[in-house]
Amino acid sequence: IRSEWQLTKFKDPDGKVEEFLRKGGSIEDAIRIFKDRLKSTEKWKGNLGLQEGRQELIDIICGLGTPTKWDNANARLGVGDSNTAPAETQTGLQGTNKSWKAMDATYPQRSAQTAEWRATWGSTEGNYSWQEYTVVNASDDTGKNLNRCIADKGTKVSGETWTLSLKITFNAT
């Protein structure tokens, strides 16, 4: 599998960008509508599939047990402040500060062999150093984490809205 992460940061003291994105508005439209509030957009690759997530995925495919899907009702993107190297035996975020956000409206989405999850952190949420990332099938680390990625993307502060997206492509090459 290949993964691509995207983080888009906005100045958002009144919460209008947050509201627009949580309702499923596209990043492109948010940038166009709120262009004076855009701080940055970054994309990066990097990901380690975690054993617990791969096993849950196999159970879903094979119809074994009662696995939980990474769907709109269950999936959360998580961020934390640890830069501990990813290891496939980890079971979630490693940091002291961490938070999980439910999917924005209409997410996850699929296009061909690519799945995309997206969540938005508002002004008062996730205000700490963003170092690690995951998608989990529960409201926190009690679920199965599909993956974990490390990348220093700065410190989120009050008055900002950050939207995180994860695309995973299942490809034969």
Side-chain angles (χ1 to χ4, degrees):
I1 66 173
R2 288 189 334 243
S3 68
E4 179 180 276
W5 296 86
Q6 179 174 316
L7 181 59
T8 306
K9 304 174 183 181
F10 292 92
K11 294 175 276 180
D12 191 27
D14 59 6
K16 291 184 183 208
V17 177
E18 173 190 1
E19 180 182 7
F20 176 81
L21 291 167
R22 285 204 175 150
K23 289 182 177 178
S26 74
I27 293 293
E28 295 78 14
D29 285 346
I31 291 170
R32 183 179 48 77
I33 294 166
F34 302 103
K35 64 181 169 234
D36 58 324
R37 298 180 179 205
L38 178 67
K39 291 187 67 177
S40 66
T41 295
E42 301 177 60
K43 291 183 182 182
W44 71 98
K45 295 179 192 235
N47 186 62
L48 179 66
L50 300 181
Q51 287 177 358
E52 68 174 4
R54 292 192 311 256
Q55 292 166 355
E56 190 86 345
L57 190 57
I58 291 167
D59 288 350
I60 291 168
I61 292 167
C62 295
L64 302 173
T66 56
T68 302
K69 298 174 186 170
W70 288 270
D71 59 10
N72 184 271
N74 298 300
R76 305 288 187 275
L77 286 176
V79 299
D81 62 359
S82 174
N83 61 5
T84 300
E88 67 177 25
T89 56
Q90 291 167 338
T91 56
L93 298 172
Q94 306 296 300
T96 302
N97 294 296
K98 43 192 170 181
S99 59
W100 298 265
K101 293 303 295 178
M103 295 294 97
D104 290 345
T106 76
Y107 285 86
Q109 298 179 355
R110 181 184 62 81
S111 175
Q113 291 86 354
T114 300
E116 180 179 9
W117 294 266
R118 193 184 88 186
T120 299
W121 279 254
S123 178
T124 62
E125 302 164 324
N127 292 331
Y128 49 81
S129 176
W130 284 33
Q131 301 281 332
E132 60 179 331
Y133 312 88
T134 191
V135 61
V136 65
N137 62 0
S139 59
D140 56 23
D141 272 344
T142 61
K144 305 293 185 191
N145 291 266
L146 190 56
N147 63 338
R148 186 162 175 269
C149 175
I150 299 297
D152 183 353
K153 296 301 170 187
T155 299
K156 185 181 173 303
V157 297
S158 184
E160 295 180 351
T161 290
W162 289 16
T163 297
L164 181 65
S165 165
L166 165 62
K167 290 181 181 179
I168 294 180
T169 301
F170 298 85
N171 195 333
T173 59

